Every structure is written in structure tokens, then in C-alpha cells.
Amino acid sequence: MEVTSSTASSSAASTTAQNDTEDGVVSSDFETFLRMLTTQMENQDPLNPMESSEFAMQLATFSGVEQQVRTNDLLGALSDQFGLNGVGQYAGWVGMEARVAAPVAFDGSPVTIFPTPDEGADRAVLVVRDEAGDVVQSEEIALTGDPLTWAGVGEGGIPLDNGLYTFTVDSHAGGELISSTIAESYATVSEVRAGTDKPVLVLQGGAEVSAETVTALRDPATS
């Protein structure tokens, strides 16, 4: 039985379609393709043999498709792993300072805090907690929500240790606590990661927040 070039190509296409249905990708079984070429050569018409260039063309075509499939698979894997569709747009945030409600990495430099007392409050208190969650400072603040500068000085004027600190605004009304919210401050973005649903920003000191919670962004060189 004579196996022509069109027959071999048809067989390859049939094999490709079957694998595409079963596995979702084109088969890259190169040995199978070589066996098909060998069979084709053994059964060709000796009076009308195929040109060697035709075999070379089939080989090059198969190799090109194989490489393209592998490239597509690699790109798909990278996209799934890093969430490029979401992370890419935040890549420029690395090194910038993001204003967000999160723990602050204190390194001895004053920290600017943006408190937001509850609108129904008649009294507001800024509570500062260390990384262990212990209260290290507590003071009453104005209800206007004006920015505050925290110098990192504890009782008796003793400087506090470097580390992560959380600033919470406790709002009171009629002697009752009505809300407790983390105050915003600026923190340097050190890394952007692909989260389960949304990109995650890793701040200086290790705190992690959703990119959607950032309310402002600034260049530390000009701030």
C-alpha cells in the first residue's frame, strides 16, 4: 500500500486533533512522527519518489509546531503562577510609598499618621501597639482628623525600639467605644505578589495588604 505525503499529513493532523481533545495540547511525540516518515519512505512509489525537500519541510513544520506549543504552555504556566494580568500593572509601585491602613515599620524616624475618627464621636484616642500587640502609648487626639507626627517616644521620653507598630483610632461617644480603626500612614512597597484574587503588596517590615486598599501613592524622593 502506498503512503503518500497527503496521507501522512492527514494522519498527523488526526493524531493532533485527538490529543488536543484528550489533553488540551498538541502531542509532541517526536519519535512517532519519525516512525511515520520512515514508513512513508519505505512505502513510497520507487518510480515516483518524494523529494528530500518534502521530508525536510514536514520535519521543520512539525518541529515548529512543537516548539510553539511548548512556548504557549510555558507562557500559560507563568501567567497562572504569577498572575501577570494583575501584578504587571503594580510593578512600578515597588520602591514607592503607599498610604495604607497597616502596621508601620518604625526605624527611629518620625512617622506621619492620618487618623479618621468616627463622625459620631465626641472623643478620639490614638492607641499605639507594638508587634506583640501590647499597648505602648495612648493619647487623646482631635476629632478633625488632621495628620499627626509620631516620634516613637514612650513614657518618660524613652525612645521605643525599632519594629512594627500599629496605630488604632478608638472613637468614643457618650462614654462608649463606638469604633476602632487602624490609622493610615505611608510605607515603602518592597514587593508585589500574586494573591488568590488580587495582587498583594508587601510593605517594608513585612506587612502585607491588598493593592486595592491603597488610598495614595508618592515618590519618596520628592516627599
Side-chain angles (χ1 to χ4, degrees):
M1 176 180 178
E2 180 180 350
V3 182
T4 64
S5 176
S6 59
T7 302
S9 298
S10 176
S11 298
S14 176
T15 301
T16 298
Q18 179 178 357
N19 291 336
D20 185 55
T21 300
E22 295 177 351
D23 304 325
V25 295
V26 178
S27 172
S28 59
D29 191 345
F30 201 66
E31 291 184 2
T32 299
F33 182 75
L34 290 178
R35 286 197 297 269
M36 290 174 61
L37 281 181
T38 301
T39 302
Q40 183 175 358
M41 295 175 65
E42 291 176 347
N43 293 275
Q44 65 179 324
D45 185 356
L47 300 179
N48 184 28
M50 292 181 59
E51 295 289 341
S52 59
S53 59
E54 293 188 45
F55 289 106
M57 183 179 299
Q58 292 183 41
L59 186 63
T61 300
F62 183 88
S63 180
V65 172
E66 180 186 36
Q67 293 302 320
Q68 184 62 52
V69 169
R70 289 180 177 178
T71 299
N72 291 341
D73 289 344
L74 178 59
L75 291 176
L78 288 174
S79 179
D80 291 340
Q81 182 178 0
F82 296 109
L84 296 181
N85 291 335
V87 173
Q89 61 180 314
Y90 297 102
W93 288 23
V94 176
M96 301 289 282
E97 290 183 339
R99 177 172 163 177
V100 64
V104 179
F106 175 66
D107 59 3
S109 301
V111 177
T112 301
I113 305 166
F114 301 86
T116 53
D118 193 288
E119 293 183 356
D122 56 25
R123 177 171 171 265
V125 178
L126 179 67
V127 180
V128 184
R129 293 180 173 83
D130 60 18
E131 196 166 355
D134 298 326
V135 177
V136 297
Q137 197 171 15
S138 179
E139 62 178 90
E140 191 162 339
I141 60 175
L143 297 172
T144 56
D146 296 332
L148 303 173
T149 299
W150 184 71
V153 178
E155 298 295 334
I158 300 176
L160 297 174
D161 294 334
N162 293 352
L164 283 178
Y165 290 87
T166 302
F167 303 92
T168 304
V169 178
D170 289 348
S171 299
H172 301 261
E176 299 285 338
L177 177 65
I178 59 175
S179 68
S180 183
T181 58
I182 297 178
E184 293 184 346
S185 58
Y186 278 99
T188 302
V189 179
S190 58
E191 184 180 353
V192 180
R193 294 177 181 171
T196 304
D197 299 315
K198 302 292 182 181
V200 174
L201 304 181
V202 181
L203 307 178
Q204 182 181 5
E208 298 183 4
V209 297
S210 171
E212 294 186 336
T213 62
V214 175
T215 59
L217 197 66
R218 70 185 186 185
D219 186 344
T222 58
S223 60

mmCIF file of all heavy atoms in Angstrom, residues 5 8-10 12-13 16 26-28 30 33-34 37 52-70:
data_model
loop_
_atom_site.group_PDB
_atom_site.id
_atom_site.type_symbol
_atom_site.label_atom_id
_atom_site.label_comp_id
_atom_site.label_asym_id
_atom_site.label_seq_id
_atom_site.Cartn_x
_atom_site.Cartn_y
_atom_site.Cartn_z
ATOM 1 N N SER A 5 2.388 11.668 0.801
ATOM 2 C CA SER A 5 2.619 12.796 1.711
ATOM 3 C C SER A 5 1.327 13.299 2.298
ATOM 4 O O SER A 5 1.233 13.624 3.471
ATOM 5 C CB SER A 5 3.320 13.925 0.939
ATOM 6 O OG SER A 5 3.476 15.057 1.743
ATOM 7 N N ALA A 8 0.192 10.952 5.063
ATOM 8 C CA ALA A 8 0.956 11.148 6.302
ATOM 9 C C ALA A 8 0.533 12.412 7.005
ATOM 10 O O ALA A 8 0.380 12.448 8.221
ATOM 11 C CB ALA A 8 2.448 11.201 5.981
ATOM 12 N N SER A 9 0.334 13.480 6.231
ATOM 13 C CA SER A 9 -0.082 14.746 6.837
ATOM 14 C C SER A 9 -1.447 14.609 7.464
ATOM 15 O O SER A 9 -1.733 15.148 8.535
ATOM 16 C CB SER A 9 -0.104 15.846 5.768
ATOM 17 O OG SER A 9 1.177 16.035 5.228
ATOM 18 N N SER A 10 -2.355 13.851 6.780
ATOM 19 C CA SER A 10 -3.693 13.648 7.314
ATOM 20 C C SER A 10 -3.640 12.868 8.607
ATOM 21 O O SER A 10 -4.353 13.152 9.563
ATOM 22 C CB SER A 10 -4.561 12.911 6.281
ATOM 23 O OG SER A 10 -5.831 12.627 6.811
ATOM 24 N N ALA A 12 -1.110 12.752 10.691
ATOM 25 C CA ALA A 12 -0.560 13.624 11.732
ATOM 26 C C ALA A 12 -1.618 14.567 12.246
ATOM 27 O O ALA A 12 -1.733 14.822 13.446
ATOM 28 C CB ALA A 12 0.624 14.406 11.173
ATOM 29 N N ALA A 13 -2.435 15.106 11.323
ATOM 30 C CA ALA A 13 -3.493 16.031 11.738
ATOM 31 C C ALA A 13 -4.515 15.334 12.602
ATOM 32 O O ALA A 13 -5.023 15.891 13.576
ATOM 33 C CB ALA A 13 -4.170 16.623 10.485
ATOM 34 N N THR A 16 -3.051 14.797 16.008
ATOM 35 C CA THR A 16 -3.027 16.073 16.716
ATOM 36 C C THR A 16 -4.400 16.421 17.263
ATOM 37 O O THR A 16 -4.543 16.846 18.411
ATOM 38 C CB THR A 16 -2.562 17.185 15.758
ATOM 39 O OG1 THR A 16 -1.246 16.886 15.333
ATOM 40 C CG2 THR A 16 -2.575 18.533 16.457
ATOM 41 N N VAL A 26 -1.291 19.967 21.797
ATOM 42 C CA VAL A 26 -0.825 19.166 20.678
ATOM 43 C C VAL A 26 0.268 18.225 21.147
ATOM 44 O O VAL A 26 1.172 18.610 21.878
ATOM 45 C CB VAL A 26 -0.287 20.074 19.548
ATOM 46 C CG1 VAL A 26 0.243 19.230 18.386
ATOM 47 C CG2 VAL A 26 -1.391 20.995 19.065
ATOM 48 N N SER A 27 0.202 16.972 20.719
ATOM 49 C CA SER A 27 1.217 15.992 21.121
ATOM 50 C C SER A 27 2.575 16.368 20.562
ATOM 51 O O SER A 27 2.699 16.828 19.438
ATOM 52 C CB SER A 27 0.820 14.603 20.610
ATOM 53 O OG SER A 27 1.869 13.686 20.832
ATOM 54 N N SER A 28 3.600 16.128 21.372
ATOM 55 C CA SER A 28 4.963 16.408 20.923
ATOM 56 C C SER A 28 5.778 15.122 20.844
ATOM 57 O O SER A 28 6.972 15.090 21.123
ATOM 58 C CB SER A 28 5.638 17.412 21.861
ATOM 59 O OG SER A 28 5.678 16.890 23.172
ATOM 60 N N PHE A 30 7.833 13.158 19.221
ATOM 61 C CA PHE A 30 8.680 13.288 18.045
ATOM 62 C C PHE A 30 9.029 11.923 17.451
ATOM 63 O O PHE A 30 9.171 11.774 16.236
ATOM 64 C CB PHE A 30 9.953 14.041 18.433
ATOM 65 C CG PHE A 30 10.652 14.676 17.266
ATOM 66 C CD1 PHE A 30 10.056 15.712 16.573
ATOM 67 C CD2 PHE A 30 11.894 14.225 16.859
ATOM 68 C CE1 PHE A 30 10.694 16.298 15.492
ATOM 69 C CE2 PHE A 30 12.542 14.807 15.778
ATOM 70 C CZ PHE A 30 11.929 15.862 15.096
ATOM 71 N N PHE A 33 6.415 10.741 15.062
ATOM 72 C CA PHE A 33 6.493 11.439 13.786
ATOM 73 C C PHE A 33 7.612 10.864 12.914
ATOM 74 O O PHE A 33 7.453 10.671 11.705
ATOM 75 C CB PHE A 33 6.724 12.931 14.021
ATOM 76 C CG PHE A 33 6.779 13.733 12.748
ATOM 77 C CD1 PHE A 33 5.630 14.020 12.036
ATOM 78 C CD2 PHE A 33 7.995 14.194 12.259
ATOM 79 C CE1 PHE A 33 5.680 14.761 10.866
ATOM 80 C CE2 PHE A 33 8.061 14.923 11.088
ATOM 81 C CZ PHE A 33 6.888 15.219 10.387
ATOM 82 N N LEU A 34 8.767 10.545 13.532
ATOM 83 C CA LEU A 34 9.871 9.969 12.776
ATOM 84 C C LEU A 34 9.505 8.595 12.211
ATOM 85 O O LEU A 34 9.885 8.245 11.095
ATOM 86 C CB LEU A 34 11.113 9.858 13.661
ATOM 87 C CG LEU A 34 11.795 11.186 14.035
ATOM 88 C CD1 LEU A 34 12.977 10.936 14.961
ATOM 89 C CD2 LEU A 34 12.234 11.935 12.799
ATOM 90 N N LEU A 37 7.454 9.098 9.152
ATOM 91 C CA LEU A 37 8.284 9.460 8.000
ATOM 92 C C LEU A 37 9.005 8.241 7.432
ATOM 93 O O LEU A 37 9.118 8.069 6.205
ATOM 94 C CB LEU A 37 9.304 10.520 8.405
ATOM 95 C CG LEU A 37 8.820 11.974 8.503
ATOM 96 C CD1 LEU A 37 9.977 12.878 8.897
ATOM 97 C CD2 LEU A 37 8.191 12.436 7.210
ATOM 98 N N SER A 52 13.527 14.915 -1.266
ATOM 99 C CA SER A 52 14.011 15.016 0.122
ATOM 100 C C SER A 52 13.577 16.316 0.775
ATOM 101 O O SER A 52 13.413 16.398 1.994
ATOM 102 C CB SER A 52 15.533 14.903 0.146
ATOM 103 O OG SER A 52 16.127 15.934 -0.635
ATOM 104 N N SER A 53 13.375 17.334 -0.049
ATOM 105 C CA SER A 53 12.961 18.626 0.497
ATOM 106 C C SER A 53 11.577 18.546 1.132
ATOM 107 O O SER A 53 11.264 19.267 2.077
ATOM 108 C CB SER A 53 12.969 19.691 -0.602
ATOM 109 O OG SER A 53 12.104 19.323 -1.662
ATOM 110 N N GLU A 54 10.727 17.637 0.607
ATOM 111 C CA GLU A 54 9.394 17.481 1.175
ATOM 112 C C GLU A 54 9.471 16.903 2.580
ATOM 113 O O GLU A 54 8.738 17.302 3.485
ATOM 114 C CB GLU A 54 8.543 16.590 0.273
ATOM 115 C CG GLU A 54 8.220 17.199 -1.092
ATOM 116 C CD GLU A 54 7.212 16.365 -1.856
ATOM 117 O OE1 GLU A 54 6.213 15.944 -1.232
ATOM 118 O OE2 GLU A 54 7.428 16.128 -3.051
ATOM 119 N N PHE A 55 10.378 15.901 2.760
ATOM 120 C CA PHE A 55 10.558 15.338 4.094
ATOM 121 C C PHE A 55 11.098 16.398 5.050
ATOM 122 O O PHE A 55 10.671 16.508 6.206
ATOM 123 C CB PHE A 55 11.527 14.152 4.041
ATOM 124 C CG PHE A 55 10.962 12.941 3.370
ATOM 125 C CD1 PHE A 55 11.387 12.580 2.104
ATOM 126 C CD2 PHE A 55 10.000 12.160 4.001
ATOM 127 C CE1 PHE A 55 10.868 11.451 1.479
ATOM 128 C CE2 PHE A 55 9.480 11.037 3.377
ATOM 129 C CZ PHE A 55 9.904 10.671 2.114
ATOM 130 N N ALA A 56 12.051 17.180 4.558
ATOM 131 C CA ALA A 56 12.627 18.234 5.396
ATOM 132 C C ALA A 56 11.572 19.257 5.786
ATOM 133 O O ALA A 56 11.555 19.765 6.917
ATOM 134 C CB ALA A 56 13.778 18.917 4.655
ATOM 135 N N MET A 57 10.671 19.557 4.852
ATOM 136 C CA MET A 57 9.624 20.534 5.137
ATOM 137 C C MET A 57 8.668 20.004 6.204
ATOM 138 O O MET A 57 8.263 20.732 7.121
ATOM 139 C CB MET A 57 8.852 20.850 3.855
ATOM 140 C CG MET A 57 7.773 21.918 4.019
ATOM 141 S SD MET A 57 6.932 22.261 2.458
ATOM 142 C CE MET A 57 8.327 22.857 1.463
ATOM 143 N N GLN A 58 8.295 18.701 6.084
ATOM 144 C CA GLN A 58 7.412 18.106 7.089
ATOM 145 C C GLN A 58 8.072 18.120 8.464
ATOM 146 O O GLN A 58 7.447 18.426 9.476
ATOM 147 C CB GLN A 58 7.055 16.677 6.695
ATOM 148 C CG GLN A 58 6.179 16.562 5.461
ATOM 149 C CD GLN A 58 5.796 15.125 5.174
ATOM 150 O OE1 GLN A 58 5.494 14.358 6.082
ATOM 151 N NE2 GLN A 58 5.837 14.757 3.893
ATOM 152 N N LEU A 59 9.363 17.781 8.492
ATOM 153 C CA LEU A 59 10.105 17.765 9.751
ATOM 154 C C LEU A 59 10.174 19.149 10.375
ATOM 155 O O LEU A 59 9.968 19.326 11.577
ATOM 156 C CB LEU A 59 11.508 17.222 9.497
ATOM 157 C CG LEU A 59 12.401 16.997 10.729
ATOM 158 C CD1 LEU A 59 11.786 15.945 11.633
ATOM 159 C CD2 LEU A 59 13.806 16.587 10.300
ATOM 160 N N ALA A 60 10.452 20.141 9.548
ATOM 161 C CA ALA A 60 10.548 21.518 10.044
ATOM 162 C C ALA A 60 9.202 22.012 10.537
ATOM 163 O O ALA A 60 9.101 22.705 11.563
ATOM 164 C CB ALA A 60 11.070 22.430 8.941
ATOM 165 N N THR A 61 8.127 21.638 9.813
ATOM 166 C CA THR A 61 6.788 22.060 10.222
ATOM 167 C C THR A 61 6.417 21.470 11.571
ATOM 168 O O THR A 61 5.923 22.167 12.464
ATOM 169 C CB THR A 61 5.745 21.631 9.167
ATOM 170 O OG1 THR A 61 6.073 22.240 7.916
ATOM 171 C CG2 THR A 61 4.347 22.049 9.595
ATOM 172 N N PHE A 62 6.679 20.155 11.730
ATOM 173 C CA PHE A 62 6.366 19.507 12.997
ATOM 174 C C PHE A 62 7.167 20.122 14.138
ATOM 175 O O PHE A 62 6.644 20.397 15.217
ATOM 176 C CB PHE A 62 6.652 18.012 12.904
ATOM 177 C CG PHE A 62 6.291 17.257 14.160
ATOM 178 C CD1 PHE A 62 5.015 16.748 14.343
ATOM 179 C CD2 PHE A 62 7.228 17.068 15.171
ATOM 180 C CE1 PHE A 62 4.677 16.070 15.491
ATOM 181 C CE2 PHE A 62 6.894 16.391 16.331
ATOM 182 C CZ PHE A 62 5.611 15.877 16.492
ATOM 183 N N SER A 63 8.447 20.342 13.894
ATOM 184 C CA SER A 63 9.312 20.913 14.929
ATOM 185 C C SER A 63 8.834 22.300 15.329
ATOM 186 O O SER A 63 8.832 22.658 16.508
ATOM 187 C CB SER A 63 10.749 20.973 14.420
ATOM 188 O OG SER A 63 11.602 21.528 15.399
ATOM 189 N N GLY A 64 8.420 23.096 14.326
ATOM 190 C CA GLY A 64 7.946 24.450 14.623
ATOM 191 C C GLY A 64 6.691 24.436 15.464
ATOM 192 O O GLY A 64 6.541 25.218 16.411
ATOM 193 N N VAL A 65 5.759 23.527 15.118
ATOM 194 C CA VAL A 65 4.516 23.418 15.903
ATOM 195 C C VAL A 65 4.818 22.970 17.317
ATOM 196 O O VAL A 65 4.252 23.480 18.298
ATOM 197 C CB VAL A 65 3.539 22.433 15.224
ATOM 198 C CG1 VAL A 65 2.340 22.165 16.129
ATOM 199 C CG2 VAL A 65 3.067 22.990 13.889
ATOM 200 N N GLU A 66 5.748 22.009 17.443
ATOM 201 C CA GLU A 66 6.118 21.503 18.758
ATOM 202 C C GLU A 66 6.675 22.620 19.645
ATOM 203 O O GLU A 66 6.291 22.767 20.814
ATOM 204 C CB GLU A 66 7.153 20.397 18.590
ATOM 205 C CG GLU A 66 7.621 19.777 19.911
ATOM 206 C CD GLU A 66 8.744 18.788 19.701
ATOM 207 O OE1 GLU A 66 9.589 19.030 18.807
ATOM 208 O OE2 GLU A 66 8.791 17.778 20.425
ATOM 209 N N GLN A 67 7.566 23.413 19.087
ATOM 210 C CA GLN A 67 8.163 24.499 19.857
ATOM 211 C C GLN A 67 7.138 25.556 20.221
ATOM 212 O O GLN A 67 7.158 26.123 21.327
ATOM 213 C CB GLN A 67 9.308 25.135 19.052
ATOM 214 C CG GLN A 67 10.511 24.222 18.853
ATOM 215 C CD GLN A 67 11.105 23.750 20.176
ATOM 216 O OE1 GLN A 67 11.206 24.522 21.134
ATOM 217 N NE2 GLN A 67 11.477 22.482 20.241
ATOM 218 N N GLN A 68 6.200 25.831 19.307
ATOM 219 C CA GLN A 68 5.171 26.827 19.586
ATOM 220 C C GLN A 68 4.266 26.372 20.725
ATOM 221 O O GLN A 68 3.886 27.158 21.599
ATOM 222 C CB GLN A 68 4.323 27.079 18.320
ATOM 223 C CG GLN A 68 3.279 28.176 18.489
ATOM 224 C CD GLN A 68 3.912 29.517 18.798
ATOM 225 O OE1 GLN A 68 4.807 29.969 18.092
ATOM 226 N NE2 GLN A 68 3.445 30.164 19.857
ATOM 227 N N VAL A 69 3.921 25.081 20.716
ATOM 228 C CA VAL A 69 3.075 24.538 21.778
ATOM 229 C C VAL A 69 3.785 24.638 23.118
ATOM 230 O O VAL A 69 3.203 25.038 24.128
ATOM 231 C CB VAL A 69 2.707 23.071 21.480
ATOM 232 C CG1 VAL A 69 2.067 22.415 22.698
ATOM 233 C CG2 VAL A 69 1.752 23.007 20.297
ATOM 234 N N ARG A 70 5.072 24.287 23.131
ATOM 235 C CA ARG A 70 5.823 24.369 24.382
ATOM 236 C C ARG A 70 5.927 25.808 24.871
ATOM 237 O O ARG A 70 5.844 26.079 26.073
ATOM 238 C CB ARG A 70 7.226 23.788 24.176
ATOM 239 C CG ARG A 70 7.237 22.273 24.002
ATOM 240 C CD ARG A 70 8.635 21.732 23.799
ATOM 241 N NE ARG A 70 8.656 20.274 23.708
ATOM 242 C CZ ARG A 70 9.736 19.555 23.487
ATOM 243 N NH1 ARG A 70 10.903 20.166 23.321
ATOM 244 N NH2 ARG A 70 9.679 18.237 23.415
#
